[in-house]
Amino acid sequence: MIGGRQPLRGKKPADRRIRVERPHARYFRYTGKGIMTAKPAATAPTTAIGRFSADVRRVFIGKPLASDEESGERLSKKKALAIFSSDAISSSAYATEEILVVLLAAGAVAFTVSLEIAIAIAILLAVVSTSYRQIGQAYPDGGGAYAVGRANFGKLAGLVAAGALLVDYILTVAVSISSAVEQITSAIPGLLPWAVLMCVVFILLMTVGNLRGLRESGNIFAIPTYLFVFSALTMIALGVYQVVALGQGHEATNPLPGAPSALEPLTILLVLRAFASGSVALTGVEAIANGVPAFKKPESTNAATTLTVMAALLAVLFVGITFIADAYVIVPSPEKTVVSQVATTVFGTDSIGFYMFQTFTALILILAANTSYNAFPRLAAILAQDNLMPRQFGFRGDRLAYTLGIAILSGMAILLVILFQGDTNALIPLYSVGVFVSFTISQSGMVVHWLRVKGPKWRGRLSINAVGAVMTFVVLIVVLVSKAPYSLLVAVIIPILVGIMLFIERQYDHTSKQLEVKRGIVFGAPRRHERVVVPVPNLSRAVVQAVQVGRALSEDIQVVHVTENREAGERLRERFEEQFPGVPFVIVESPYRSLIRPFVAYLDVTSQDKEAMTLIIIPEFVADHWWEQILYNQTTKRLRRALLGRPDTVIAAVPYRREKGHPAAPVAPTDSIEPGA
């Protein structure tokens, strides 16, 4: 125990008391035998720049949260619907347009099947969402398609699903933000030249919002999500009333604006292409199954309920918008998105309803990226736990968010937005492949799961998954063929990611075997001889402290001075031998002015005893201010890098900080290793 009781006696016989000393009380508390838990003061920065950095983080992302506060960060169904469903719900804003862009090649006759295609996609949505309800209940630890693929098909299938999901989440951010900016520029065309910059700014704002943690991001993003749902349902209700009750609408006539002069025939292949393009409406459905652990208890039940509500809302919005677009024969345009034309038709040009809907649509599309900001870092953390990604991805920051995953996701999304200049039509072909690869693996994996596990109503569940597997596989093939060559780029990226993950796993396994300590071995006291070597540039208080530390550790100690000027070295040796009698002082002359390599070579040629451990004591000066660091210790850093990994060598830096009001003793300059090195 730190501290203790100290009896005190006074001047009088009965004047006795006990003073209890607890020097740890400010920084630690005892939570068990031999266990001390750090308080916030123990992790608080001690330097001025550290305190400033902490203050900045506190302003932008909030005060740090302890690990035991994680349960308070879990999500209710209402907040989870906003966080995990914004991607899927927002896809209703551009899925209809993707169908019409394909059908436009066949002219007015093709537009008559757009509603039927949307209904078929809604049926596929029902199958996939039902399957993911089952995945969330069967694999409550999260991971979605990765967990299903790995458990039922083996590691390789799981890695393919994981690679597809990682690509999908990055593209989700790029597509959602780009589409949001397109909605803004559709309403305000003057902002078009600033589109890419706006995309970058919105991604950075999403980054800050998600670094604040799950509960905070739920509070921030819930209102815009529900405003979009309310305004979209209102628009659909008014549009259906105008078409059905008032008989409004238009007849499709050739030629349609923007249609090619040479029209394609309406073939089954064209319908399949339109179906595959419109299936982007399904993106984001898997996010809830990936994030089951983020829900409040009971996690699986709450996740399943949220997924059902999300699927129902998406189906209504998607089919409703397509119905109105079909009734009014709305044609895709480079200047205005289809959903903005639907809003103009229903609410009126330049009406308050139109601008409110466009505002809410832009907001939900921006927030759709939030689904990826919760799913990508969580999946990366799961992969890190399985040694398939760098373990830093499993580290949670001040607000219990997976900081590195959020940062990497933002960086990759910004890169894509800049490369494709925020063009949604160019990004979506990349977007669809990863989605349907993961869908196909997860659906097929659940078929194997039910065959192995069985359980109540397993035949019906297996049938749903089998139908879903076939449908998503067909869509995947159509997307790969019809969206080439862009789709093939993702088909190449996914195997590369799988290879990287396998390489990381192999490296971790190799290192783990090298560092493994077998049970049953009892380690006694070391019997190896310790040899201490202190590289010195001059004679200073930092050097004195390092030499004294070395003398305390071993009697076999040498001081080594590397210099190009032998005369200066001789003068330093005379003074050193006067003030440190009995400590051997070796001069290594370096005619070619190199400092590090001659020192390392000296260690190599003098290390004759293979059983000896060489301990390198490096004096290091601690500067008072952060900006002084560039003036000191640069050679020290280079020396440490050169010695790192040297067999039977331990490197110890002995820091020295000048006391206030105690100026350093003047030392004659040398032309060797820098002062304080």
Side-chain angles (χ1 to χ4, degrees), residues 119-255:
I119 293 173
I121 293 172
I123 294 172
L124 177 59
L125 169 64
V127 173
V128 172
S129 60
T130 302
S131 175
Y132 272 102
R133 275 180 57 101
Q134 299 170 0
I135 290 173
Q137 293 170 341
Y139 300 91
D141 293 332
Y146 165 68
V148 176
R150 181 158 187 157
N152 297 288
F153 293 128
K155 180 171 63 178
L156 188 59
L159 292 182
V160 172
L165 287 171
L166 293 175
V167 172
D168 174 39
Y169 292 141
I170 294 171
L171 286 164
T172 294
V173 176
V175 170
S176 299
I177 297 295
S178 299
S179 182
V181 171
E182 286 181 356
Q183 300 300 326
I184 295 172
T185 54
S186 293
I188 311 174
L191 294 176
L192 190 58
W194 304 96
V196 175
L197 178 61
M198 291 167 63
C199 289
V200 173
V201 170
F202 287 142
I203 291 174
L204 293 177
L205 289 175
M206 293 295 299
T207 304
V208 173
N210 279 277
L211 287 174
R212 296 187 67 90
L214 275 177
R215 186 176 62 181
E216 287 281 350
S217 61
N219 293 334
I220 295 170
F221 302 142
I223 294 177
T225 300
Y226 288 113
L227 286 175
F228 169 77
V229 171
F230 175 77
S231 62
L233 290 175
T234 302
M235 181 186 71
I236 291 169
L238 289 174
V240 171
Y241 174 76
Q242 292 170 2
V243 172
V244 176
L246 302 182
Q248 298 179 6
H250 302 137
E251 290 292 332
T253 58
N254 280 319

Side-chain angles (χ1 to χ4, degrees), residues 12-56:
K12 298 180 180 180
D15 190 2
R16 301 181 63 185
R17 59 192 185 277
I18 298 293
R19 181 172 64 192
V20 179
E21 294 182 346
R22 290 180 178 148
H24 65 283
R26 180 184 174 188
Y27 301 102
F28 300 95
R29 67 178 186 273
Y30 281 101
T31 53
K33 185 177 181 180
I35 301 175
M36 298 182 71
T37 301
K39 294 181 178 180
T43 57
T46 57
T47 62
I49 189 68
R51 288 191 292 270
F52 175 76
S53 176
D55 291 339
V56 171

Side-chain angles (χ1 to χ4, degrees), residues 278-311:
S279 294
V280 295
L282 276 66
T283 56
V285 171
E286 78 289 343
I288 292 177
N290 292 341
V292 172
F295 284 79
K296 289 185 175 179
K297 295 181 178 181
E299 295 92 339
S300 297
T301 302
N302 290 335
T305 303
T306 305
L307 181 57
T308 302
V309 173
M310 180 270 293

Side-chain angles (χ1 to χ4, degrees), residues 369-633:
N370 192 56
T371 299
S372 291
Y373 275 101
N374 286 279
F376 180 97
R378 195 169 292 276
L379 176 59
I382 292 172
L383 292 170
Q385 291 172 6
D386 293 340
N387 290 336
L388 294 164
M389 292 282 278
R391 289 171 182 164
Q392 294 91 324
F393 280 96
F395 172 75
R396 292 182 297 174
D398 288 348
R399 301 288 296 179
L400 298 175
Y402 294 103
T403 307
L404 182 60
I406 292 172
I408 294 295
L409 176 61
S410 296
M412 296 301 296
I414 288 173
L415 180 61
L416 280 176
V417 165
I418 294 173
L419 287 176
F420 288 86
Q421 290 296 295
D423 186 354
T424 305
N425 290 328
L427 286 165
I428 282 182
L430 301 174
Y431 187 32
S432 306
V433 177
V435 174
F436 285 96
V437 166
S438 62
F439 281 171
T440 303
I441 291 175
S442 62
Q443 301 286 315
S444 305
M446 288 305 293
V447 171
V448 176
H449 171 81
W450 295 124
L451 287 172
R452 188 180 73 250
V453 176
K454 294 186 170 54
K457 303 179 181 178
W458 68 274
R459 289 185 176 84
R461 294 173 176 177
L462 183 148
S463 301
I464 292 174
N465 295 138
V467 171
V470 173
M471 294 179 72
T472 54
F473 179 72
V474 170
V475 174
L476 172 61
I477 298 301
V478 174
V479 168
L480 280 172
V481 174
S482 63
K483 301 296 184 179
Y486 296 105
S487 58
L488 299 179
L489 178 62
V490 177
V492 171
I493 292 174
I494 292 174
I496 291 174
L497 283 175
V498 171
I500 292 173
M501 288 187 280
L502 288 173
F503 174 78
I504 292 172
E505 182 186 41
R506 188 181 70 176
Q507 291 300 111
Y508 276 133
D509 288 346
H510 179 67
T511 304
S512 178
K513 290 177 182 177
Q514 288 183 319
L515 299 177
E516 181 184 8
V517 177
K518 298 186 181 298
R519 296 183 64 89
I521 300 176
V522 178
F523 297 96
R527 298 178 182 177
R528 302 182 70 175
H529 172 67
E530 292 182 352
R531 168 197 179 210
V532 175
V533 179
V534 186
V536 299
N538 49 42
L539 187 54
S540 65
R541 284 192 171 89
V543 169
V544 170
Q545 180 174 267
V547 173
Q548 295 294 70
V549 169
R551 295 171 81 181
L553 293 174
S554 175
E555 294 181 356
D556 184 359
I557 179 172
Q558 282 185 341
V559 173
V560 179
H561 176 63
V562 183
T563 180
E564 64 174 289
N565 189 329
R566 181 186 295 184
E567 294 179 357
E570 292 286 0
R571 290 194 297 270
L572 180 59
R573 176 159 62 181
E574 289 176 7
R575 184 175 175 188
F576 207 96
E577 290 177 345
E578 175 187 340
Q579 296 189 267
F580 285 93
V583 176
F585 187 99
V586 178
I587 298 174
V588 176
E589 187 177 3
S590 178
Y592 298 99
R593 299 162 301 284
S594 175
L595 302 177
I596 306 300
R597 284 302 309 157
F599 179 74
V600 176
Y602 171 80
L603 294 178
D604 293 339
V605 300
T606 57
S607 299
Q608 300 300 326
D609 186 357
K610 300 301 181 182
E611 296 298 322
M613 175 69 71
T614 301
L615 180 59
I616 311 297
I617 306 291
I618 304 177
E620 185 172 355
F621 175 68
V622 180
D624 292 332
H625 305 286
W626 65 268
W627 49 266
E628 291 183 274
Q629 294 294 336
I630 61 175
L631 303 177
Y632 304 101
N633 303 318

